[in-house]
Amino acid sequence: QTAKQTVCEIEQLGQTGEAFALELSSQEQVQTALTEIKNRYHCIHTLIFAAGADITMTFVGNIDHAEWHRTINNELNGFFHVIKAVLPMMRQTGGGSIVAITTAGLDRHPPLDILSTAPKAGIEALVRGIAREEGRYNIRANCVAPGVVDGGLFDRLKPQVKPEFIEAMKRNTALKRFGTIKEVAGVAAFLTTPAAAYVTGQHLCVDGGYSV
C-alpha cells in the first residue's frame, strides 16, 4: 500500500513511477525485475537500497538461529543479489550511483539492535568494495547511516522496548531529538546528484550526533 501511495505522489509531480513486488532473497526475482526496468527505461543510473525487517530487539546471546539466518538472507544476500544484477547494467551505460541506507549503529553500538547492525555491516563492506573496484566504470557507491528516525520501522519496534529506553536514545543524540524520513532521504538524494560526483566509498551518518 505504501509503495502504491509513493507511485501516486510521483505521478502527481508529473513523473513516471512504478512499484514491483519481489523477494530480495530470490536471485531470480531480483534479476527479472531489474532486467524489466532496464529494458523499459534503457538504463539504470541510480540505485538506492533501503531494506529492513521487523526484527526482535534482543541481546546477541538471545538471538534465535532462524531469525538470524532470515535477516541475513533478506538484507545482506538481498543487497548482493541487487548489485550483482545492476552493476553490469551501469557499466554498459556509462556508470551510475549506488546508495545503501545502513545504520549509525555501526559507529556506536546500540544494545538490542544487533539484528539491524550485523547485516548492514556486510552491506557497508560490499559498498566499499564496489567503490574501489567499479570507479573505473564511473560507478560511485556510498552509505547513508541513519540514527533513530521517527516513522516506519521504528514505530513498529517501539512496543518492544521500555519508554525510558527510548528517551535515553533521544538524550544520547547531540540534537536531543530523533530524525525524520525526509532528512535521511535528502542526504541520500544528494549523493546521487552531480554535486556529489567526486564522492564515493563514504559512510555518512545522519544521526543527530548520536555517533559523536
Side-chain angles (χ1 to χ4, degrees):
Q1 188 63 37
T2 302
K4 291 180 180 179
Q5 180 181 345
T6 301
V7 169
C8 288
E9 291 174 359
I10 292 171
E11 291 175 342
Q12 288 171 3
L13 295 172
Q15 304 299 319
T16 301
E18 288 189 71
F20 296 80
L22 70 154
E23 289 287 341
L24 290 174
S25 59
S26 169
Q27 176 187 349
E28 293 76 16
Q29 288 190 33
V30 170
Q31 182 69 56
T32 298
L34 288 169
T35 300
E36 182 178 342
I37 292 169
K38 182 180 183 296
N39 290 342
R40 191 171 304 182
Y41 298 102
H42 309 298
C43 73
I44 296 177
H45 56 72
T46 301
L47 168 69
I48 297 179
F49 185 87
D54 285 340
I55 58 173
T56 300
M57 301 290 289
T58 190
F59 295 109
V60 175
N62 297 332
I63 295 172
D64 176 76
H65 282 84
E67 184 173 15
W68 171 267
H69 289 290
R70 183 171 62 251
T71 302
I72 293 295
N73 197 31
N74 288 336
E75 289 194 50
L76 179 54
N77 292 344
F79 180 64
F80 176 75
H81 293 157
V82 171
I83 60 171
K84 183 71 173 176
V86 85
L87 284 174
M89 300 176 185
M90 287 185 170
R91 291 181 197 140
Q92 291 170 3
T93 54
S97 174
I98 297 169
V99 178
I101 308 300
T102 59
T103 175
L106 296 174
D107 295 82
R108 180 179 180 182
H109 177 69
L112 309 179
D113 204 33
I114 191 66
L115 284 170
S116 174
T117 58
K120 292 177 178 63
I123 289 171
E124 291 227 351
L126 281 167
V127 166
R128 289 193 296 273
I130 293 166
R132 189 67 177 171
E133 297 171 4
E134 300 293 328
R136 70 195 72 185
Y137 301 109
N138 195 34
I139 296 173
R140 297 184 299 108
N142 293 285
C143 295
V144 172
V148 180
V149 175
D150 271 326
L153 180 59
F154 180 60
D155 286 349
R156 300 195 295 276
L157 295 178
K158 280 181 182 178
Q160 297 189 42
V161 295
K162 297 178 180 180
E164 53 266 33
F165 182 83
I166 294 174
E167 287 305 310
M169 293 170 69
K170 188 179 295 184
R171 288 195 304 272
N172 276 333
T173 68
L175 296 180
K176 308 303 179 187
R177 68 174 179 87
F178 294 148
T180 67
I181 294 172
K182 186 175 182 179
E183 287 170 330
V184 176
V187 176
F190 161 73
L191 287 171
T192 71
T193 67
Y198 203 53
V199 179
T200 194
Q202 299 305 301
H203 163 93
L204 182 55
C205 283
V206 185
D207 65 350
Y210 171 80
S211 56
V212 173

